[in-house]
Amino acid sequence: QECNVGEMHTGDDGKRAVEVIVDFDANPTVLFQLIYSGNKWDEAKLRLETHPEEARVWVARYSTRGSGSTVSTDDVRWKLLPLHLFIALKGNSSSSSANDDNDLVSADFLTSLIQAFPEAVLCRDDQNMIPLHCAIRGLSSLDTVQTLLCADPSSVYMKDNKGRNSIVLAEKVYGHSRRRGDEDVYKKLMAMLASSMRGFKPTQTDTEDYSLEQ
């Protein structure tokens, strides 16, 4: 499978890893395609079990030049990991029934995605957002937010491209879109984020404004 080689990243174990990127319109991973469909969670989970390496492959969509036949890999329309995509598609699901079989399957799939590539919870998409930022902006369920926080509590301190950590971002999002019935969700979300902050002592690295880095 052809792919682009992106930046080098150093993991917690000190080893260097190459960021692998594939083109959404030319050669997306099967896992990404199944998630993109929005309702094939059983198939996606099976694919993840047999091909866990696809959880760490970025998929990007590029703009075209001229007549539209030439793709410019310098002009990225979006770039996502499977985890980012899943959260974007499952946003605003707080009203879903806890007894909905499809919702329960997708929640289990979220856990499996994180287990396949734990570092994904701290990876930034093309908008410089980690999955927690995506979940807050997309009004994801509290269960989704809690799963992300449990995977890596330090994510609560990480800032978006405007220098906002998760609590500041949550105040901004709900301050502009709060509707009748959202107040209880907002309070629970803020309590959840605050609890994570109290339970995790940040290092200087955790509180740095990564949005200033290129």
Side-chain angles (χ1 to χ4, degrees):
Q1 186 179 47
E2 296 181 1
C3 63
N4 296 325
V5 176
E7 300 177 356
M8 298 289 290
H9 296 276
T10 303
D12 294 336
D13 57 3
K15 296 180 179 179
R16 302 286 279 178
V18 177
E19 180 183 274
V20 178
I21 309 172
V22 297
D23 187 338
F24 176 78
D25 293 303
N27 59 337
T29 62
V30 174
L31 176 63
F32 197 91
Q33 289 178 299
L34 290 171
I35 298 173
Y36 192 79
S37 72
N39 59 4
K40 297 181 179 179
W41 306 122
D42 285 325
E43 294 176 54
K45 192 171 188 298
L46 179 59
R47 180 67 183 185
L48 182 61
E49 291 173 355
T50 58
H51 296 75
E53 70 280 359
E54 292 187 2
R56 62 181 62 240
V57 177
W58 291 88
V59 178
R61 195 162 209 176
Y62 304 98
S63 295
T64 55
R65 290 175 175 170
S67 63
S69 59
T70 303
V71 176
S72 171
T73 56
D74 294 325
D75 191 359
V76 179
R77 293 173 59 185
W78 50 258
K79 186 183 78 169
L80 306 169
L81 281 171
L83 181 59
H84 292 96
L85 175 64
F86 172 83
I87 291 173
L89 293 178
K90 290 298 292 180
N92 199 16
S93 61
S94 58
S95 61
S96 297
S97 170
N99 295 318
D100 188 303
D101 290 340
N102 189 58
D103 197 56
L104 290 173
V105 169
S106 62
D108 181 55
F109 179 66
L110 171 61
T111 299
S112 297
L113 265 180
I114 294 174
Q115 290 175 341
F117 185 32
E119 296 89 344
V121 297
L122 297 183
C123 287
R124 296 179 178 277
D125 64 11
D126 61 290
Q127 298 298 312
N128 206 35
M129 294 196 299
I130 63 172
L132 180 60
H133 299 152
C134 298
I136 293 172
R137 286 191 59 179
L139 304 178
S140 291
S141 70
L142 294 176
D143 285 342
T144 294
V145 173
Q146 185 64 61
T147 298
L148 294 170
L149 289 172
C150 288
D152 195 322
S154 70
S155 62
V156 75
Y157 285 98
M158 295 187 72
K159 299 175 181 179
D160 65 7
N161 59 354
K162 294 185 179 180
R164 301 172 298 192
N165 64 29
S166 58
I167 284 188
V168 177
L169 178 61
E171 291 174 342
K172 180 74 172 179
V173 169
Y174 279 83
H176 284 285
S177 64
R178 199 177 305 173
R179 304 177 300 275
R180 179 173 296 181
D182 282 349
E183 186 68 27
D184 185 55
V185 174
Y186 169 72
K187 289 180 179 179
K188 289 179 179 178
L189 171 63
M190 296 302 285
M192 187 182 296
L193 296 172
S195 177
S196 292
M197 281 191 164
R198 289 193 299 270
F200 181 82
K201 185 177 181 180
T203 63
Q204 181 178 354
T205 301
D206 294 320
T207 55
E208 285 177 353
D209 185 0
Y210 292 97
S211 64
L212 299 180
E213 297 182 357
Q214 299 295 328

